[in-house]
Amino acid sequence: MKKILGFVMMTAVMLSSCGNDHDDLYDPAMAAKLKANQYAEAFHAMYGDIAPNHTWGFSSLGSRAGSMDTNANMWGGYVEVPAPLTENQKNLVTRWFESNKNPISTPVQWCDYFAQQVSSSEYGKGMDYICDGDGTHLNNFNAGDQGTTNVWAGELTNPSDQNSKVKYDDKILYVKGGNTLSYTCKISNGDLVCRDFVIVPGSIIDASLDGMFFLGFDYSTPHDPAVEADGYYNDWIVKLTPCEYIQSYRIIAEDLGTIGDFDFNDVVFDAYIDGGDAVVTLQAAGGTLPLTVAGKEVHELFGVETDVMVNTGVGAAKAPVMFRVSNCNNIDNIQIVVNDPETSTYTLSVATGEAPQKICVDPSYEITSERQRISVKYPKFLDYVNDPSVKWY
């Protein structure tokens, strides 16, 4: 949250004016340094001495780097594979799309995701070659159907034997480096392109589908026999699920706007190294200062104004946003930059043995509520400050 630190501004102006009576009356670098110093002093006052070897989770980050295999037989080794849809779930979704005309589409933005076949109408069976917003072809999703088999979700009958994988046949596809903001597919009758789609959150359909998202198409063609779009997007329905990488990290950070709340939810994102790229999944934005992750402003990504908090119990609730960062093989290199219009622009940092402006944790870490101090939600954080080996969450 934003809190203007008046004395920081005043001190910065005083120091710069003492150095030069005519130029540089305000030094942004000095303002940023003073803000960081005040933050460090408040952290020490709250939590005491910091272990001199404390790296706040940012040591040995390269150990989880790797490249993904698009073979369904390997998926379960690095990503949480969605469970097969039950017949009851498919029926719930299909009936809803058949009964609700012109539903409002909810945009989601994911680069890596799973697509699962739900159902197709008779018209849908004449639709094929589905592509997402980056033109990524969802290979094998043809004729309103899909047939990937031998899908491994990570279970072994013998934990010490990789050949004992439990597999299931599911109409599911893994998409890497795509874009869920828009979709098209082809109409077999005349090879026309259908652009009439919606994405509907499962929570709107039924409480049991909360957290799921469903893509629906509305079939039409001018060819004989001509068919007009009817506003019912049930002709081809596909479930979309963002990828959750098993070996990812979660970064939690303070934007230094409000000194002393220490909720570490001003920005929260997960990161996974895929070869030479990083996959970033933005989870929350609890700050109200302009803030970028890898050059992308987080409020813009969530589709809200800068003063709106997201996914911290106050403000808006939004689906995670996922994007790729090219040529990044170290999670610590994913820059978090804050632009405080009334002080300066600065990059959040972490240094061994010093007060952390960001902390690296596992995705199992639950985000604090707005203004909930991290040591209130996790009392062992106090011990962790003095001993980095403490399991605190």
Side-chain angles (χ1 to χ4, degrees), residues 256-275:
L256 313 190
T258 295
I259 303 297
D261 65 351
F262 299 121
D263 52 17
F264 282 91
N265 67 12
D266 292 334
V267 67
V268 179
F269 63 90
D270 296 344
Y272 176 82
I273 300 298
D274 172 28

Side-chain angles (χ1 to χ4, degrees), residues 13 48 107 127 131 139 147 191 194 201 234 263 272 276 316 377 381 388:
V13 171
M127 305 171 83
C131 291
N139 191 31
D191 202 30
C194 173
N234 65 310
D263 52 17
Y272 176 82
K377 185 175 180 66
F381 182 78

Side-chain angles (χ1 to χ4, degrees), residues 6-26:
F7 82 92
V8 171
M9 292 287 293
M10 183 181 300
T11 306
V13 171
M14 289 175 63
L15 289 175
S16 60
S17 62
C18 287
N20 190 320
D21 291 337
H22 304 287
D23 302 317
D24 300 325
L25 292 180
Y26 171 60

Side-chain angles (χ1 to χ4, degrees), residues 251-253 255 265-272 278-286 289-302 321-326 328 330-339 346-348 358:
I251 310 301
I252 59 176
D255 65 8
N265 67 12
D266 292 334
V267 67
V268 179
F269 63 90
D270 296 344
Y272 176 82
V279 182
V280 173
T281 304
L282 182 62
Q283 299 286 358
L289 290 173
L291 182 150
T292 63
V293 173
K296 297 180 181 291
E297 211 289 318
V298 297
H299 300 90
E300 291 180 6
L301 289 174
F302 276 130
V321 175
M322 184 188 300
F323 59 93
R324 283 181 166 261
V325 182
S326 300
C328 181
N330 188 319
I331 288 171
D332 196 23
N333 291 340
I334 302 173
Q335 286 197 336
I336 306 173
V337 178
V338 183
N339 180 17
Y346 47 89
T347 300
L348 299 185
K358 58 182 180 178

Side-chain angles (χ1 to χ4, degrees), residues 90-343:
K90 292 178 181 178
N91 290 335
L92 278 172
V93 174
T94 301
R95 288 198 298 268
W96 188 91
F97 274 89
E98 289 173 344
S99 305
N100 290 270
K101 190 173 184 178
N102 295 321
I104 297 174
S105 186
T106 300
V108 292
Q109 189 173 169
W110 309 323
C111 59
D112 297 3
Y113 61 95
F114 286 97
Q116 289 171 273
Q117 173 71 7
V118 177
S119 64
S120 299
S121 69
E122 286 304 309
Y123 286 134
K125 290 179 171 59
M127 305 171 83
D128 61 16
Y129 208 88
I130 183 171
C131 291
D132 68 16
D134 276 353
T136 302
H137 174 211
L138 275 61
N139 191 31
N140 292 329
F141 257 79
N142 297 326
D145 208 347
Q146 198 275 340
T148 294
T149 58
N150 292 322
V151 177
W152 179 49
E155 183 181 355
L156 299 171
T157 57
N158 181 352
S160 61
D161 182 7
Q162 285 294 309
N163 293 319
S164 66
K165 294 177 178 178
V166 178
K167 302 175 184 177
Y168 58 78
D169 292 343
D170 191 29
K171 295 174 180 179
I172 182 172
L173 190 69
Y174 162 73
V175 182
K176 172 181 174 179
N179 183 338
T180 56
L181 285 176
S182 65
Y183 281 92
T184 62
C185 65
K186 290 185 178 180
I187 309 268
S188 297
N189 183 4
D191 202 30
L192 300 173
V193 175
C194 173
R195 304 182 189 278
D196 295 328
F197 78 93
V198 293
I199 295 176
V200 177
S203 58
I204 292 177
I205 299 172
D206 188 85
S208 66
L209 303 174
D210 186 30
M212 301 182 185
F213 291 83
F214 297 92
L215 165 69
F217 286 99
D218 186 5
Y219 178 95
S220 65
T221 177
H223 292 276
D224 190 19
V227 178
E228 293 186 1
D230 60 6
Y232 293 97
Y233 291 78
N234 65 310
D235 292 310
W236 192 357
I237 307 171
V238 176
K239 180 192 173 192
L240 303 175
T241 305
C243 285
E244 296 181 17
Y245 293 112
I246 295 170
Q247 296 183 325
S248 62
Y249 296 91
R250 177 160 292 177
I251 310 301
I252 59 176
E254 284 282 296
D255 65 8
L256 313 190
T258 295
I259 303 297
D261 65 351
F262 299 121
D263 52 17
F264 282 91
N265 67 12
D266 292 334
V267 67
V268 179
F269 63 90
D270 296 344
Y272 176 82
I273 300 298
D274 172 28
D277 294 344
V279 182
V280 173
T281 304
L282 182 62
Q283 299 286 358
T288 56
L289 290 173
L291 182 150
T292 63
V293 173
K296 297 180 181 291
E297 211 289 318
V298 297
H299 300 90
E300 291 180 6
L301 289 174
F302 276 130
V304 299
E305 297 296 324
T306 307
D307 61 352
V308 177
M309 303 173 193
V310 179
N311 295 342
T312 61
V314 175
K318 295 283 186 176
V321 175
M322 184 188 300
F323 59 93
R324 283 181 166 261
V325 182
S326 300
N327 302 316
C328 181
N329 57 12
N330 188 319
I331 288 171
D332 196 23
N333 291 340
I334 302 173
Q335 286 197 336
I336 306 173
V337 178
V338 183
N339 180 17
D340 186 340
E342 300 193 45
T343 55

